[in-house]
Amino acid sequence: MSAPTALLPPPPPPPLASPPSLAQRPWQPLIWTLLVGTFLTRAAGFVYPYLALHLAGHGIPHVSTVLALFGAGWLAGQVVSGTLADRIGRRATLAGSLLTAAGIFPLLAHTSDLLALSAAAFISGACYDAPRPVVTALIADTVTDESARARIAGWRHFAVNLGAATTGAVGGLLIQPLGTGALFTLNAVVYGLVAVVVLLTVPSATSGASEGSDRQGHHEAFADPRLWLLWLASLAGLIPVAALFSSLPLMMQRDGLSAAAYGQTQVVSAVAVLVLSPLLNPWLSRRAPGAQPLVGTLALGALILGAGIGSAGFASTSAGYAAAAAAAVPGEIILFVAASDICNRISPPHLRGQYAGIWGTTLAAAVIGAPLLAGWATATGGDHLVGLATLACGLLGAALCLPLAALLHRPVASPHLPSVSHV
């Protein structure tokens, strides 16, 4: 006799399909908006690469002063933008910096008075890259999975480089018939349009901004030794990146190579970024979910950058310089993604903008430091010493990752600065 139906165990439920991991899920529309906005602002970012050419009619001391003020504004703008993102909100800061740029770039384009030009250059520098720390904080607010963050950081770097390549191509076509003033005005129009998109799509309040409504504790980012070790390691690694635009053209000129040959190295570098980013991003996103931040990966990026650009000190042909530029590209991609991972992990939610802003000053500092280092090395030992000094920067960046890794393993006493050893 068969057992009564009521006594039979219920059939097992059908197996549920495992949900995709956070890293594999489609990105939110906000992430796409930020990535497309990053590309557009970089693709139309004519002010920085063409500023020296725009100032060619002024005397050399005046040109140097205006360029230095632009760099000083860039450095200050990172900290101010990051701090405001935490205090008044991400959308207000991002849209405000873009709209300010849209208003000041035409003044930079059409004024000839030195005082007005100097003020416009400083404000333009402060606004030109001001979106960077705000976008970093917005991505960290929106995406919690470390693997997805690393993948987004990789594609964001891709968008920056694709935009820079577009800037060179479009600027090269338009500068002769239109002039630099028209390019700067176009830059302003694009920034203004992106600002409108930001106002329409970015939420008015974010978790970071709301948690930061209590302004207490904003000074603690400046007291975090982990952030400053990350800053120093990144600066040492980024000086070779800046050398690609400062030291490399001078070395090629001393070897009797033309400006067109230098342009070819930039094309090779851009193509290498576009080819290698899709290959390296999946590898980096697989490493990111580990228990520890990507400190070892940061050290690897600094070493590759130092060795790649450093090898240019021993080149003498166009092919040799192009090979040096291409060899450094993997290090550039790796460093930016790894530094972003570490910065995201050590920054409290209500200070994400300020941490990103402080880290962002490494780019401006590298632009200042690279030509100073190259000038000393050239005067002391020639191009070979320039190459060795650049390699030493990469080695220093990797060496600074050792105390950074040790510090990241220790618990942090301050309630505002969480330990990442258990992440």
Side-chain angles (χ1 to χ4, degrees), residues 171-199:
L173 290 174
L174 297 181
I175 191 169
Q176 193 67 31
L178 299 180
T180 54
L183 291 180
F184 289 10
T185 302
L186 177 59
N187 198 158
V189 170
V190 172
Y191 269 49
L193 291 174
V194 174
V196 173
V197 174
V198 166
L199 289 171

Short mmCIF file of all heavy atoms in Angstrom, two decimals, residues 171-199:
data_model
loop_
_atom_site.label_atom_id
_atom_site.label_comp_id
_atom_site.label_asym_id
_atom_site.label_seq_id
_atom_site.Cartn_x
_atom_site.Cartn_y
_atom_site.Cartn_z
N GLY A 171 41.23 69.48 -32.60
CA GLY A 171 41.96 70.73 -32.51
C GLY A 171 42.89 70.94 -33.69
O GLY A 171 43.01 72.06 -34.21
N GLY A 172 43.54 69.86 -34.13
CA GLY A 172 44.43 69.97 -35.28
C GLY A 172 43.70 70.37 -36.55
O GLY A 172 44.26 71.09 -37.40
N LEU A 173 42.44 69.93 -36.68
CA LEU A 173 41.66 70.28 -37.87
C LEU A 173 41.11 71.70 -37.82
O LEU A 173 41.00 72.37 -38.85
CB LEU A 173 40.50 69.29 -38.02
CG LEU A 173 40.86 67.86 -38.42
CD1 LEU A 173 39.61 66.97 -38.38
CD2 LEU A 173 41.50 67.81 -39.81
N LEU A 174 40.76 72.16 -36.60
CA LEU A 174 40.04 73.42 -36.47
C LEU A 174 40.92 74.62 -36.16
O LEU A 174 40.51 75.76 -36.38
CB LEU A 174 38.96 73.31 -35.38
CG LEU A 174 37.85 72.29 -35.61
CD1 LEU A 174 36.86 72.31 -34.45
CD2 LEU A 174 37.14 72.56 -36.93
N ILE A 175 42.11 74.40 -35.63
CA ILE A 175 42.89 75.53 -35.15
C ILE A 175 43.33 76.46 -36.28
O ILE A 175 43.37 77.68 -36.11
CB ILE A 175 44.11 75.04 -34.34
CG1 ILE A 175 44.74 76.23 -33.62
CG2 ILE A 175 45.12 74.32 -35.22
CD1 ILE A 175 45.76 75.83 -32.59
N GLN A 176 43.63 75.90 -37.45
CA GLN A 176 44.09 76.74 -38.54
C GLN A 176 42.97 77.64 -39.07
O GLN A 176 43.15 78.87 -39.18
CB GLN A 176 44.66 75.88 -39.67
CG GLN A 176 45.45 76.66 -40.71
CD GLN A 176 46.74 77.25 -40.15
OE1 GLN A 176 47.34 76.68 -39.24
NE2 GLN A 176 47.15 78.41 -40.66
N PRO A 177 41.78 77.09 -39.37
CA PRO A 177 40.73 77.98 -39.89
C PRO A 177 40.03 78.82 -38.83
O PRO A 177 39.54 79.92 -39.14
CB PRO A 177 39.73 77.00 -40.53
CG PRO A 177 39.94 75.72 -39.80
CD PRO A 177 41.39 75.68 -39.45
N LEU A 178 39.97 78.36 -37.56
CA LEU A 178 39.18 79.05 -36.55
C LEU A 178 40.01 79.80 -35.51
O LEU A 178 39.58 80.82 -34.99
CB LEU A 178 38.26 78.06 -35.83
CG LEU A 178 37.24 77.32 -36.70
CD1 LEU A 178 36.41 76.37 -35.85
CD2 LEU A 178 36.34 78.32 -37.43
N GLY A 179 41.18 79.28 -35.17
CA GLY A 179 42.02 79.90 -34.15
C GLY A 179 41.72 79.38 -32.76
O GLY A 179 40.70 78.72 -32.51
N THR A 180 42.61 79.69 -31.83
CA THR A 180 42.47 79.18 -30.47
C THR A 180 41.28 79.79 -29.74
O THR A 180 40.65 79.13 -28.90
CB THR A 180 43.75 79.46 -29.66
OG1 THR A 180 44.05 80.87 -29.72
CG2 THR A 180 44.93 78.67 -30.21
N GLY A 181 40.94 81.03 -30.04
CA GLY A 181 39.81 81.66 -29.36
C GLY A 181 38.52 80.89 -29.60
O GLY A 181 37.71 80.68 -28.68
N ALA A 182 38.30 80.45 -30.82
CA ALA A 182 37.10 79.68 -31.14
C ALA A 182 37.13 78.32 -30.44
O ALA A 182 36.09 77.82 -29.98
CB ALA A 182 36.98 79.49 -32.65
N LEU A 183 38.30 77.71 -30.34
CA LEU A 183 38.40 76.42 -29.65
C LEU A 183 38.06 76.58 -28.17
O LEU A 183 37.36 75.73 -27.59
CB LEU A 183 39.81 75.85 -29.80
CG LEU A 183 40.23 75.38 -31.20
CD1 LEU A 183 41.66 74.86 -31.17
CD2 LEU A 183 39.29 74.30 -31.71
N PHE A 184 38.53 77.65 -27.55
CA PHE A 184 38.23 77.88 -26.14
C PHE A 184 36.72 78.12 -25.94
O PHE A 184 36.13 77.67 -24.96
CB PHE A 184 39.01 79.08 -25.61
CG PHE A 184 40.49 78.83 -25.46
CD1 PHE A 184 41.09 77.69 -25.96
CD2 PHE A 184 41.29 79.76 -24.81
CE1 PHE A 184 42.45 77.46 -25.82
CE2 PHE A 184 42.66 79.54 -24.65
CZ PHE A 184 43.24 78.39 -25.17
N THR A 185 36.11 78.83 -26.88
CA THR A 185 34.68 79.07 -26.79
C THR A 185 33.90 77.77 -26.95
O THR A 185 32.91 77.53 -26.24
CB THR A 185 34.24 80.08 -27.86
OG1 THR A 185 34.98 81.30 -27.68
CG2 THR A 185 32.76 80.37 -27.76
N LEU A 186 34.34 76.92 -27.87
CA LEU A 186 33.71 75.61 -28.02
C LEU A 186 33.85 74.79 -26.75
O LEU A 186 32.91 74.10 -26.33
CB LEU A 186 34.34 74.87 -29.21
CG LEU A 186 33.85 73.44 -29.47
CD1 LEU A 186 32.35 73.42 -29.74
CD2 LEU A 186 34.61 72.83 -30.65
N ASN A 187 35.01 74.87 -26.12
CA ASN A 187 35.24 74.20 -24.83
C ASN A 187 34.20 74.66 -23.81
O ASN A 187 33.60 73.86 -23.08
CB ASN A 187 36.65 74.52 -24.36
CG ASN A 187 37.17 73.57 -23.29
OD1 ASN A 187 38.39 73.43 -23.10
ND2 ASN A 187 36.30 72.90 -22.57
N ALA A 188 33.95 75.97 -23.77
CA ALA A 188 32.98 76.53 -22.83
C ALA A 188 31.57 76.03 -23.13
O ALA A 188 30.81 75.68 -22.20
CB ALA A 188 33.02 78.06 -22.90
N VAL A 189 31.20 75.96 -24.39
CA VAL A 189 29.85 75.51 -24.76
C VAL A 189 29.63 74.07 -24.31
O VAL A 189 28.58 73.73 -23.75
CB VAL A 189 29.65 75.65 -26.28
CG1 VAL A 189 28.36 74.96 -26.72
CG2 VAL A 189 29.62 77.12 -26.68
N VAL A 190 30.61 73.20 -24.53
CA VAL A 190 30.46 71.80 -24.15
C VAL A 190 30.36 71.66 -22.64
O VAL A 190 29.53 70.90 -22.12
CB VAL A 190 31.63 70.97 -24.71
CG1 VAL A 190 31.59 69.54 -24.16
CG2 VAL A 190 31.59 70.94 -26.23
N TYR A 191 31.19 72.39 -21.90
CA TYR A 191 31.10 72.35 -20.44
C TYR A 191 29.72 72.80 -19.97
O TYR A 191 29.14 72.23 -19.04
CB TYR A 191 32.18 73.24 -19.81
CG TYR A 191 33.48 72.54 -19.52
CD1 TYR A 191 34.10 71.75 -20.48
CD2 TYR A 191 34.12 72.68 -18.29
CE1 TYR A 191 35.30 71.12 -20.23
CE2 TYR A 191 35.32 72.06 -18.02
CZ TYR A 191 35.91 71.27 -19.00
OH TYR A 191 37.10 70.65 -18.73
N GLY A 192 29.17 73.85 -20.61
CA GLY A 192 27.85 74.33 -20.23
C GLY A 192 26.77 73.28 -20.50
O GLY A 192 25.87 73.08 -19.68
N LEU A 193 26.85 72.59 -21.64
CA LEU A 193 25.87 71.55 -21.97
C LEU A 193 25.96 70.39 -20.98
O LEU A 193 24.92 69.85 -20.55
CB LEU A 193 26.09 71.06 -23.40
CG LEU A 193 25.77 72.06 -24.51
CD1 LEU A 193 26.15 71.50 -25.87
CD2 LEU A 193 24.30 72.43 -24.48
N VAL A 194 27.17 69.99 -20.63
CA VAL A 194 27.33 68.90 -19.66
C VAL A 194 26.77 69.33 -18.31
O VAL A 194 26.18 68.52 -17.58
CB VAL A 194 28.80 68.48 -19.56
CG1 VAL A 194 29.00 67.44 -18.45
CG2 VAL A 194 29.28 67.90 -20.89
N ALA A 195 26.95 70.59 -17.94
CA ALA A 195 26.39 71.09 -16.67
C ALA A 195 24.87 70.95 -16.66
O ALA A 195 24.28 70.58 -15.63
CB ALA A 195 26.79 72.55 -16.47
N VAL A 196 24.22 71.25 -17.78
CA VAL A 196 22.76 71.09 -17.86
C VAL A 196 22.37 69.63 -17.67
O VAL A 196 21.41 69.31 -16.94
CB VAL A 196 22.24 71.63 -19.21
CG1 VAL A 196 20.76 71.31 -19.38
CG2 VAL A 196 22.48 73.13 -19.31
N VAL A 197 23.11 68.73 -18.30
CA VAL A 197 22.83 67.29 -18.14
C VAL A 197 23.00 66.88 -16.68
O VAL A 197 22.20 66.10 -16.13
CB VAL A 197 23.74 66.46 -19.06
CG1 VAL A 197 23.56 64.97 -18.79
CG2 VAL A 197 23.44 66.77 -20.52
N VAL A 198 24.03 67.39 -16.03
CA VAL A 198 24.25 67.08 -14.62
C VAL A 198 23.07 67.53 -13.77
O VAL A 198 22.58 66.79 -12.91
CB VAL A 198 25.56 67.75 -14.13
CG1 VAL A 198 25.64 67.73 -12.61
CG2 VAL A 198 26.76 67.04 -14.74
N LEU A 199 22.59 68.73 -14.01
CA LEU A 199 21.46 69.24 -13.24
C LEU A 199 20.20 68.41 -13.44
O LEU A 199 19.36 68.30 -12.55
CB LEU A 199 21.19 70.70 -13.61
CG LEU A 199 22.24 71.72 -13.15
CD1 LEU A 199 21.98 73.08 -13.77
CD2 LEU A 199 22.26 71.82 -11.63
#
